Amino acid sequence: MAAQIIDGKKISSEIKDELKEKVRILKEEKGIEVTLAVILVGEDPASQVYVRNKKRACEYIGIRSLSYELPEDTTQEELLKLIDELNNRKDVDGILVQMPVPEQIDEKTVIDAISPAKDVDGFHPMSVGALCIGERGFVSCTPAGVIQLLKRSNIEISGKECVIVGRSNIVGKPMSMLMLRENATVTVAHSRTADLKAVCKRADIVIAAVGKPKMITADYLKEGATVIDVGINRNPETGKLCGDVDYDGAVNVAGAITPVPGGVGPMTIAMLMNNCYEAALMHNGL
Ligand code: NDP
């Protein structure tokens, strides 16, 4: 049977349209304007594109975005001062510092400085801790997007064997916590996993977050498995974008699969927007 192609573009558009309506209602009925502060340090071209896309999504949904574009030689002290000001501003719901930051600034110090109440990226240790023990808090956007892709594609998670390949703080680890919360039986694989192929082959759901172009080939997959490809890589041969999964082979074995681009990618911004909305609700005691 042909695999179900999970359309991340369509699902993220649905989420953005739902949010647009919720943001409108919040403004009209309660006078609350959802506000995100976006900080970019330096002129990294990829970061500039990400920031532009985030601002565009805010505009579409009706979220006010405040933009702070700081020079490459900004000191850590200057950045921390700005974060502190934004932490204390009542009219700011979410704060996002686009990563990576220039080398004179320590990424972890920046993450820790953002108030957990405004941590819409979900990277603060308090947010991660809340996720681990099942309390309300912000969830890292990409893994949260994967859950939405699965749920909105009617893919059963509860009781299923899920293998996540990758254990980074922003994808693999929070992903494992979310799948556990959804009652999957979770295995987290990584570069030291012995016989990765055999481990993946027993999975009903494989989530690849490795950063290695087309590493997960069809022979890693059980017939009918759901395959979620978080990877965004450049194909070394063609220079085009590709995932961690060898899509052309995997699509013949998988029951459902996400393409790259157009799968997980578009979900990240949609979930960021959702976190901003949630932040505004929390700040207003809703
Ligand atoms: P990291 O480099 O931080 O982590 C990669 C993980 O993969 C590590 O845990 C590493 O293991 C593991 N790994 C590396 N090589 C192997 C191997 N041969 N076999 C098994 N495991 C391996 O990457 P990220 O988590 O930040 O990103 C992963 C991918 O997802 C990238 O392609 C990135 O571009 C993409 N991404 C996409 C996003 C989106 O919006 N769609 C958002 C974020 C990331 P170990 O810990 O042992 O070193």
Side-chain angles (χ1 to χ4, degrees):
M1 220 169 69
Q4 173 189 353
I5 312 300
I6 300 174
D7 187 346
K9 253 183 163 168
K10 181 165 162 272
I11 296 173
S12 77
S13 289
E14 281 166 17
I15 292 174
K16 282 193 270 188
D17 285 338
E18 290 164 15
L19 278 171
K20 189 175 185 169
E21 184 60 11
K22 289 198 262 188
V23 164
R24 185 187 65 77
I25 292 170
L26 201 59
K27 196 169 179 184
E28 276 179 21
E29 294 184 359
K30 309 248 186 234
I32 296 167
E33 190 169 29
V34 183
T35 301
L36 170 68
V38 182
I39 305 173
L40 172 65
V41 188
E43 290 174 1
D44 176 57
S47 294
Q48 285 174 329
V49 173
Y50 293 141
V51 163
R52 200 182 317 133
N53 289 342
K54 286 168 189 175
K55 285 197 267 190
R56 268 196 202 135
C58 283
E59 217 170 284
Y60 178 76
I61 291 166
I63 292 176
R64 183 168 71 120
S65 71
L66 308 176
S67 183
Y68 298 87
E69 291 181 11
L70 309 181
E72 183 78 33
D73 61 357
T74 300
T75 63
Q76 179 165 301
E77 212 182 350
E78 287 165 333
L79 178 58
L80 293 179
K81 187 164 171 281
L82 173 60
I83 292 172
D84 188 49
E85 278 169 28
L86 294 168
N87 279 340
N88 290 311
R89 265 177 69 168
K90 288 209 164 50
D91 65 330
V92 172
D93 301 298
I95 302 170
L96 181 149
V97 179
Q98 183 64 49
M99 298 297 174
V101 282
E103 58 184 17
Q104 72 276 15
I105 299 172
D106 177 51
E107 192 173 297
K108 186 172 156 35
T109 306
V110 171
I111 290 172
D112 290 355
I114 296 172
S115 161
K118 302 190 178 187
D119 173 38
V120 285
D121 258 336
F123 295 163
H124 192 283
M126 288 268 287
S127 306
V128 179
L131 172 62
C132 287
I133 58 174
E135 286 184 359
R136 192 177 182 187
F138 298 109
V139 177
S140 180
C141 302
T142 303
V146 170
I147 297 290
Q148 285 301 313
L149 281 181
L150 291 168
K151 288 193 169 173
R152 289 172 185 249
S153 305
N154 297 315
I155 290 163
E156 178 89 41
I157 305 175
S158 180
K160 299 295 177 188
E161 284 274 351
C162 173
V163 172
I164 298 157
V165 191
R167 56 175 165 179
S168 69
N169 288 341
I170 62 165
V171 189
K173 280 185 200 150
M175 192 71 249
S176 68
M177 285 298 151
L178 285 174
M179 290 305 274
L180 200 56
R181 192 196 265 185
E182 297 297 330
N183 300 313
T185 302
V186 180
T187 303
V188 183
H190 45 78
S191 66
R192 314 281 174 89
T193 297
D195 203 352
L196 181 64
K197 200 179 277 188
V199 172
C200 289
K201 205 142 188 150
R202 64 171 192 246
D204 302 305
I205 303 171
V206 176
I207 302 175
V210 194
K212 298 252 151 78
K214 301 188 182 193
M215 192 188 96
I216 308 292
T217 48
D219 53 340
Y220 281 65
L221 306 172
K222 177 165 90 177
E223 186 80 37
T226 296
V227 182
I228 305 291
D229 191 351
V230 180
I232 301 177
N233 313 297
R234 286 265 164 226
N235 185 332
E237 286 145 33
T238 61
K240 285 190 182 161
L241 280 190
C242 74
D244 292 340
V245 175
D246 177 24
Y247 182 89
D248 293 339
V251 74
N252 299 314
V253 181
I257 188 165
T258 58
V260 177
V264 176
M267 297 299 292
T268 302
I269 289 188
M271 300 319 292
L272 172 70
M273 297 295 109
N274 186 59
N275 278 352
C276 294
Y277 173 71
E278 291 286 330
L281 292 183
M282 276 193 251
H283 293 164
N284 291 283
L286 298 169

